[in-house]
Amino acid sequence: RETDVSDTFLDSSWYFLRYPSTDFDDRPIDPERTARWLPVDTYIGGEEHAVLHLLYSRFITMALHDLGHVPFEEPYIRFRKHGLIIREGAKMSKTKGNVVNPDEYIDRYGADAFRTYLMFLGPYQEGGDFRDSGIVGPQRFLSRVVDAVEAAVAKGSGGFPDRDVERAVHQTIQQATEDFASLSFNTAIAALMELLNALRAAGRVPTLDEIRPLVIMLGPIAPHLAEELWELLGEEPSLFENGSWPTFDPAKLATDTVEIPVQVNGKLRATIALETGASEEEAKTAALADESVMRHVGEASIRKTIYVPDRLLNLVVG
């Protein structure tokens, strides 16, 4: 007789409840283990998970809660649906012969370059279009990181001698920290690429303190390479055991200059660059040195000046 009468999604609807208690043979769910580890913090799945597995697992969990077996009603605190990766505009399928075999790309470019490309492909919850030529960019980025670390080690200096570079480091730490938390891997990688450009601008060689945060933040994206670079920096192996995620200083995020709009009688006439915290008189002097502003002020007298520091300057003339 047929004993397997349940849909496979229903069969697997309670596996996460069993996982913490697999070493118990006398009970399916240990209350203490369950209270410690569950509910699941984040669940990630595709369309079929959202419609089928998620539906069944919520039903089973709610039923077990009503029966007094688990202390929570919802199985997952947060659910995120991942997008679909297509290939050159078409959904992958064996019949079309456009399925990507990861082994081929790993053999040619390495696992870290392949992983970086997939994470950089597009927003995680939207997916992206896989193109063979696209992996070259991430591979080149990782190669440039290696070059930068080797140059920094050879130079052997520390500290943050360049304020602009220090600011870029702290800005990247802030963005990458927020992006990883929201699964925005593509924008986190873009931020690391921009940081590398700042570290190597005009052929400069980064210091060890400047390059170290980049290596750490590269860890979740390219773990094998990051581990090698961590050791190259002379740090204790392993990065994932002895490295701590970098923190940013809000005071070092501010720029030295700020661009503010200049209005004449409420209409935008120019944009000027000022030092952060510039006084009203300094802002007014800089504005009147702009040809566009003077063209609209003309011979008229300035009856009133409205100035919001670092935000806006409005000259009322008449």
Side-chain angles (χ1 to χ4, degrees):
R1 65 190 179 89
E2 178 58 66
T3 56
D4 189 4
V5 295
S6 297
D7 181 277
T8 54
F9 280 99
L10 182 59
D11 290 339
S12 63
S13 63
W14 69 287
Y15 70 86
F16 57 94
L17 296 173
R18 174 61 178 166
Y19 274 175
S21 306
T22 53
D23 51 339
F24 292 97
D25 296 329
D26 58 343
R27 74 206 81 162
I29 302 172
D30 180 68
E32 185 177 344
R33 293 276 185 89
T34 301
R36 178 185 176 187
W37 289 101
L38 298 171
V40 175
D41 294 306
T42 302
Y43 182 89
I44 299 175
E47 293 284 0
E48 72 281 359
H49 289 258
V51 177
L52 297 172
H53 179 66
L54 184 62
L55 176 68
Y56 286 130
S57 59
R58 291 187 70 203
F59 172 79
I60 290 295
T61 302
M62 290 179 181
L64 291 175
H65 172 267
D66 292 345
L67 293 170
H69 296 300
V70 295
F72 46 84
E73 285 190 308
E74 292 288 348
Y76 319 115
I77 296 176
R78 182 174 68 164
F79 171 77
R80 291 292 182 270
K81 181 185 74 68
H82 63 71
L84 179 67
I85 295 180
I86 60 177
R87 186 176 189 184
E88 298 184 351
K91 185 176 181 179
M92 295 184 199
S93 68
K94 292 182 179 178
T95 56
K96 292 181 179 180
N98 66 342
V99 176
V100 172
N101 180 3
D103 293 341
E104 298 176 6
Y105 294 90
I106 292 173
D107 290 341
R108 183 175 179 183
Y109 299 102
D112 281 345
F114 185 63
R115 180 187 294 104
T116 302
Y117 174 52
L118 292 179
M119 298 174 75
F120 189 57
L121 203 55
Y124 186 77
Q125 294 179 234
E126 296 179 18
D129 190 355
F130 188 99
R131 296 181 180 274
D132 290 355
S133 59
I135 197 172
V136 176
Q139 183 195 37
R140 187 180 298 117
F141 162 64
L142 296 179
S143 295
R144 291 180 63 222
V145 173
V146 173
D147 293 340
V149 173
E150 290 178 343
V153 171
K155 181 180 180 181
S157 62
F160 292 89
D162 188 319
R163 288 189 61 186
D164 291 334
V165 171
E166 184 179 22
R167 182 184 307 110
V169 170
H170 285 266
Q171 289 174 339
T172 305
I173 294 173
Q174 180 188 37
Q175 181 174 344
T177 301
E178 295 172 354
D179 286 347
F180 277 122
S182 62
L183 306 183
S184 301
F185 304 124
N186 59 322
T187 53
I189 294 172
L192 296 185
M193 291 178 173
E194 292 180 9
L195 175 59
L196 180 61
N197 290 336
L199 294 176
R200 299 306 305 269
R204 75 185 300 275
V205 176
T207 68
L208 296 174
D209 292 320
E210 291 171 343
I211 200 71
R212 188 178 292 106
L214 175 60
V215 171
I216 297 175
M217 290 185 286
L218 193 65
I221 303 165
H224 303 94
L225 178 61
E227 188 81 304
E228 293 287 339
L229 296 178
W230 184 250
E231 184 174 350
L232 183 61
L233 287 171
E235 303 289 351
E236 290 280 340
S238 140
L239 166 63
F240 302 97
E241 293 179 357
N242 300 296
S244 58
W245 189 258
T247 57
F248 64 91
D249 184 351
K252 295 181 179 179
L253 298 176
T255 57
D256 294 330
T257 61
V258 61
E259 292 190 348
I260 69 168
V262 178
Q263 298 176 346
V264 178
N265 290 341
K267 293 185 178 180
L268 179 65
R269 298 305 183 187
T271 301
I272 60 174
L274 296 173
E275 288 190 6
T276 303
S279 67
E280 179 179 319
E281 191 61 33
E282 291 171 331
K284 185 177 178 181
T285 300
L288 294 177
D290 186 278
E291 293 182 3
S292 180
V293 173
M294 282 305 300
R295 188 165 58 249
H296 290 88
V297 172
E299 299 297 325
S301 60
I302 300 176
R303 295 189 292 108
K304 185 178 181 181
T305 301
I306 302 172
Y307 179 56
V308 181
D310 300 335
R311 298 290 298 279
L312 171 72
L313 175 66
N314 182 25
L315 303 177
V316 180
V317 303

